[in-house]
Amino acid sequence: MNSQPRRTARPGGPPLVRPAAVLFDRDGTLVHDVPYNGDPDLVRPVAGAADAVRLLRAAGIPTGVVSNQSGIGRGLLTHRDVRRVNARVDELTGPFDVWTYCPHRPDEGCPCRKPRPGLVVEAAARLGVRPGDCTVIGDIEADVLAARTAGAEGILVPNARTRPEETRAEADPAPDLLTAVRRLLARPHPAGTAARVRGRTA
């Protein structure tokens, strides 16, 4: 609670550098949350979402989406419904390099359902990067825990449905999505990247 120490992105780790890839939660992070939404016409991006993704693409950083979609397991949605909504999110805020989602109910114990790490690990593999070199941005604790369990960095961008204790537990939550991405881009490049750049220009 209030007396607990705040978590940092990588306690005791090296200084943070630009990530090799950025993965976003979908509902509540990229777009306003419509529970079990299967209608592309109801997709509404959050403020700054398209600009945030555009900045990452301009910087050459791959992007992806990792999303729990238990409406499929509950019989409220089909895979086609989710893919149609994803396609609309892609049109309005992307395009993204990879999409992964978990269709299972919480009681099924699926290893890919956040806060478990499976979606993050899968997205990183499909992008050809290590999970530990990724940053995951989401609006609830499950997003951050999935990231950290996978060895990635997790950044919380709270909204109205984020529990106050989840926000208090984070050392440096971002006030909005665009600010979160700008903070990432303000970091130095990884040493290996800098060396490769120097090698090309020498």
Side-chain angles (χ1 to χ4, degrees):
M1 303 296 180
N2 286 337
S3 61
Q4 293 177 342
R6 289 172 174 251
R7 293 193 296 264
T8 56
R10 294 182 182 176
L16 292 173
V17 296
R18 282 192 179 194
V22 175
L23 308 175
F24 296 91
D25 170 58
R26 194 190 80 178
D27 302 318
T29 300
L30 288 169
V31 298
H32 292 284
D33 188 18
V34 177
Y36 309 122
N37 182 29
D39 184 353
D41 290 337
L42 297 181
V43 173
R44 297 290 182 270
V46 304
D51 287 337
V53 177
R54 176 182 54 78
L55 288 175
L56 290 169
R57 293 182 65 83
I61 297 176
T63 59
V65 180
V66 289
S67 178
N68 287 346
Q69 294 297 325
S70 69
I72 296 174
R74 299 174 195 270
L76 303 173
L77 297 168
T78 66
H79 285 277
R80 181 175 182 273
D81 292 332
V82 170
R83 289 169 181 151
R84 288 174 64 235
V85 170
N86 288 349
R88 183 59 175 159
V89 177
D90 229 7
E91 291 174 6
L92 296 176
T93 66
F96 295 92
D97 297 293
V98 65
W99 283 82
T100 62
Y101 64 88
C102 174
H104 302 106
R105 301 186 312 272
D107 62 329
E108 294 183 82
C110 175
C112 68
R113 179 178 169 82
K114 297 177 291 183
R116 294 182 176 91
L119 289 179
V120 177
V121 173
E122 178 186 350
R126 289 171 59 185
L127 290 171
V129 301
R130 299 182 303 177
D133 293 332
C134 296
T135 294
V136 180
I137 301 177
D139 65 315
I140 60 173
E141 182 182 45
D143 301 315
V144 175
L145 290 179
R148 292 173 182 159
T149 304
E153 176 188 11
I155 295 178
L156 186 73
V157 179
N159 58 31
R161 76 168 184 153
T162 310
R163 297 198 306 268
E165 60 268 27
E166 294 178 346
T167 304
R168 288 195 299 267
E170 294 303 307
D172 194 21
D176 56 67
L177 191 59
L178 191 53
T179 298
V181 166
R182 284 173 171 160
R183 288 177 180 176
L184 293 176
L185 294 177
R187 296 176 182 176
H189 290 275
T193 302
R196 288 194 297 270
V197 170
R198 285 195 299 270
R200 285 198 302 267
T201 58

